[in-house]
Amino acid sequence: MSRFVVVNITRETKPVSEKGFGLPLMLATSKELDFKIYTDISEVAADFAETTREYKLASRMFGQSPKIAELACYGTSYVSEADDVTALTSTLNELVQINNEFFYLVCPENGDKEIKALAEWISTQEKFYGVTTQNVALVDELKGMYENTFLSVHDDPDAFHAEGLIAQSAPKEIGSYTWTFKQINGVRAAKLTNTELNAVLNNNATTCINEMGILLNASGKVLSGDYIDVVQSDYYLRARLREDVFRKLAMVEKIPYTNEGIAQIVDVMDSRFKSAFRQGIIATNDVGEPDYTITYPLRSEIPKNTIAKRILPDIKFRLVISGAVEKVEINGVLTL
């Protein structure tokens, strides 16, 4: 301490909670279990015998490369033949009041009614549900209905192909990969006829196929027909923009309602979009620059009543998703 020099520092470093995009949740059904995190299959074995579907599902997920760092789990006692399927969604509603940080949902139950109920529940969330079914007809029934559910069809009830896809993708940075072509450890090609395979792919589902000697995931779409990575990018940008702008509002004394203050909010958005471009989410334009624009009003263009309410309206953006190449067409001519 000094009587002559006084230094005051205000710490504005308290972190704003960021939504996680790499944590899968296994909704267990063989017994009640408080929310917990597994980091290895040996930890799963302490709660579930190797004969249970929970253990087999977790084994598939921990068996991928890159390996997931964590698998969350929350359990309820549920018997498909005896219990109402709403028991599953009620359990999830309870969970999100306690912990809502997971991004992917998997479940050992893969009957039609369970899949429909969980797909309906996840449609109210900015999360993804992945499941492997043995019923080709179910894919046709659900086609176009959900933007955040993806189905894989496989004849092996223990394949957990979609769940393996989640595990392989969860550790990666959103925007840096596509879901098609991925090889899932431990899953063989599904025994589907050509007619069944075409039905699966035409109805926005996927399966494991043998293509040119390689076992790979045949498609990367959600049931709505959008690509999984595009919807992921949507959810990612929504969450990060909310966090970034809130952090700006909360961590400074004041953002003045001036053109300069409006520019501060726009700068926050601009920084996030530049980061998203570096991740591979946003495409480049014809001159090699990130392809996005942000438009916003000046203070003089905003109604006084809106200013009095301290609401900043009409900030809009347009961006082009980079997407991915998944099919190549080559035309050529051979001559003598």
Side-chain angles (χ1 to χ4, degrees), residues 96-159:
V96 295
Q97 300 303 315
I98 303 167
N99 192 309
N100 197 25
E101 293 303 308
F102 64 96
F103 186 56
Y104 300 102
L105 172 66
V106 298
C107 181
E109 300 291 337
N110 65 349
D112 287 5
K113 68 175 183 177
E114 287 82 11
I115 291 174
K116 292 176 184 178
L118 294 176
E120 185 65 28
W121 182 86
I122 209 76
S123 69
T124 66
Q125 312 289 315
E126 291 180 5
K127 304 177 186 293
F128 278 89
Y129 169 45
V131 61
T132 308
T133 178
Q134 287 74 62
N135 186 4
V136 176
L138 180 65
V139 175
D140 180 61
E141 183 180 347
L142 298 182
K143 177 186 178 182
M145 292 182 62
Y146 301 108
E147 71 169 19
N148 53 353
T149 292
F150 61 95
L151 264 61
S152 178
V153 179
H154 204 288
D155 59 283
D156 180 1
D158 295 330

Side-chain angles (χ1 to χ4, degrees), residues 79-94:
V79 178
S80 180
E81 296 78 14
D83 296 329
D84 192 295
V85 72
T86 57
L88 298 180
T89 53
S90 295
T91 299
L92 288 170
N93 287 331
E94 294 170 2

Side-chain angles (χ1 to χ4, degrees), residues 62-84:
F62 276 116
Q64 301 311 307
S65 180
K67 179 185 174 183
I68 52 172
E70 296 179 329
L71 174 63
C73 186
Y74 190 63
T76 186
S77 181
Y78 170 82
V79 178
S80 180
E81 296 78 14
D83 296 329
D84 192 295

